[in-house]
Amino acid sequence: MAVPDYQSFMYPLLELFKDGNEHTLQEAYIYLADYFNLTIEDKGEVLPSGKQLVYHNRIGWARTYLKKAGLIRSIKKATFVITDRGQKLLNDPHVTEINQTYLMKYKEFQEFKNKKQSENNAVLDEYDKRDLTPQELLDQGYKEIQQQISDELLERVKGCTPEFFEKLVVELLVAMGYGGSIEDAGKAIGKSGDEGIDGIIKEDVLGLDMIYVQAKRWENVVGRPEIQKFAGSLEGQRARKGVFITTSDFTQGAKEYVNLIEKKIILINGDNLAGYMFKYNIGVSKITEYILKKVDIDYFEE
């Protein structure tokens, strides 16, 4: 099954504490994973940021809300016990689930929510609607803005001059750790005459191996014949490795071909190119400023 939303974890989490003993957050992870029969895949799912497991994040927020409502209390770091209020709730036969609406009956939780909403009303309203935790919503918002920036980057690259494109690829390759310095990589790469660039750059700063680079600012999809020509040119340049960059995409035949040959050729399409530019902060600052000017303060509102 999919990982339940954070509100679904609340009642069974409180049940873990019903024996009155101390329980740690780590115990809660194990108990609730078993309770909901989470699969290995479920337990391996991470937030978009990649920094935390989804079920850990949701259980953590369920714990926070139970604590803010006075149903459990902390006795030391990541260790909790149930309160009299929590025991009373579990003894009520009419209560079989806990959510934010139910927790609003407690004054302490109301104060917590009112304070948080005054700090960032739009974000909290949105995660209430989607059953997302605050961290999940922020990660999702970041991912959406990242995609906007990447799309804008690619459009700008497609419309740039050949000289700018050459400079861009040089800066990106150096930022990724190839080509040595900007000066070295710039000297190694020259114009090819078809709005692309090609040349040989160092694989590392010391130049222990060399990589042949070809980049084409194309709208048309790059097919297998172009990649075959590129592979043939590696022989003439005495290169065993190559990187083919395009602002468009590659056909399936082109992708299959590079897996059949002995030489190592990496294909980078337009989406990959924009993604690497974002990751290595090449041209991102100005685009980010432009994007954020278009993003309303209520970005998270539907």
Side-chain angles (χ1 to χ4, degrees):
M1 65 171 293
V3 178
D5 64 73
Y6 72 99
Q7 296 185 99
S8 298
F9 280 118
M10 291 182 185
Y11 192 88
L13 175 57
L14 187 60
E15 285 187 310
L16 171 64
F17 298 100
K18 67 182 178 181
D19 59 9
N21 296 326
E22 300 177 5
H23 293 282
T24 65
L25 192 56
Q26 190 61 42
E27 288 179 71
Y29 295 152
I30 297 171
Y31 173 79
L32 291 170
D34 291 339
Y35 182 93
F36 285 102
N37 297 313
L38 298 184
T39 64
I40 294 176
E41 290 76 16
D42 292 334
K43 290 187 284 187
E45 184 181 351
V46 296
L47 296 175
S49 64
K51 295 180 179 179
Q52 189 180 23
L53 296 171
V54 169
Y55 85 106
H56 281 194
N57 178 265
R58 294 180 181 177
I59 291 171
W61 278 99
R63 175 280 319 268
T64 294
Y65 283 2
L66 294 181
K67 182 182 175 183
K68 294 297 183 181
L71 300 174
I72 61 174
R73 63 183 177 87
S74 175
I75 56 174
K76 57 184 176 182
K77 185 176 181 180
T79 304
F80 308 86
V81 295
I82 197 168
T83 63
D84 292 340
R85 179 183 289 178
Q87 288 287 14
K88 182 179 179 180
L89 185 155
L90 290 177
N91 292 331
D92 187 341
H94 301 294
V95 181
T96 57
E97 66 175 332
I98 302 173
N99 54 33
Q100 286 202 64
T101 301
Y102 181 87
L103 295 180
M104 287 298 288
K105 68 182 288 185
Y106 301 116
K107 180 181 178 181
E108 296 90 339
F109 190 75
Q110 292 177 27
E111 293 174 348
F112 163 70
K113 284 288 291 180
N114 290 337
K115 179 181 178 182
K116 298 302 288 183
Q117 285 178 337
S118 65
E119 293 174 355
N120 200 335
N121 187 67
V123 172
L124 288 172
D125 280 351
E126 186 65 11
Y127 87 74
D128 284 351
K129 294 177 192 174
R130 299 191 194 177
D131 286 330
L132 298 176
T133 68
Q135 185 62 55
E136 287 180 290
L137 187 65
L138 290 173
D139 278 1
Q140 186 178 77
Y142 173 82
K143 190 173 182 180
E144 290 173 1
I145 291 178
Q146 177 182 345
Q147 185 61 54
Q148 289 187 60
I149 293 172
S150 295
D151 291 346
E152 190 69 34
L153 280 170
L154 186 55
E155 285 303 310
R156 295 290 184 91
V157 171
K158 288 179 177 179
C160 72
T161 65
E163 292 77 16
F164 183 87
F165 186 46
E166 177 181 347
K167 181 174 181 290
L168 168 70
V169 172
V170 169
E171 289 185 4
L172 178 60
L173 291 171
V174 171
M176 295 174 73
Y178 302 103
S181 67
I182 291 287
E183 183 179 7
D184 290 340
K187 289 179 179 178
I189 293 175
K191 299 180 180 66
S192 65
D194 59 355
E195 292 197 328
I197 63 169
D198 59 353
I200 303 175
I201 63 170
K202 300 175 183 177
E203 182 177 19
D204 51 62
V205 175
L206 297 178
L208 296 176
D209 205 350
M210 307 302 285
I211 299 177
Y212 188 65
V213 180
Q214 189 164 97
K216 295 190 179 294
R217 191 169 55 88
W218 279 11
E219 287 292 339
N220 296 330
V221 178
V222 178
R224 175 167 173 163
E226 286 294 330
I227 304 303
Q228 287 178 311
K229 286 166 55 179
F230 179 55
S233 68
L234 295 182
E235 292 290 342
Q237 299 290 343
R238 295 183 297 174
R240 297 179 296 108
K241 303 173 183 178
V243 178
F244 196 114
I245 304 171
T246 181
T247 51
S248 58
D249 203 352
F250 299 95
T251 64
Q252 187 60 35
K255 296 174 185 177
E256 292 173 353
Y257 175 73
V258 296
N259 292 322
L260 298 175
I261 60 177
E262 182 180 353
K263 297 185 181 301
K264 184 68 174 179
I265 296 178
I266 301 298
L267 304 180
I268 298 178
N269 65 14
D271 289 339
N272 299 147
L273 175 61
Y276 284 128
M277 288 175 66
F278 185 92
K279 180 177 181 179
Y280 292 97
N281 195 28
I282 302 299
V284 172
S285 298
K286 290 185 178 179
I287 297 297
T288 302
E289 182 180 352
Y290 170 75
I291 288 290
L292 292 179
K293 283 181 179 178
K294 300 196 300 182
V295 177
D296 190 81
I297 191 170
D298 291 328
Y299 173 77
F300 293 104
E301 290 287 332
E302 290 181 334

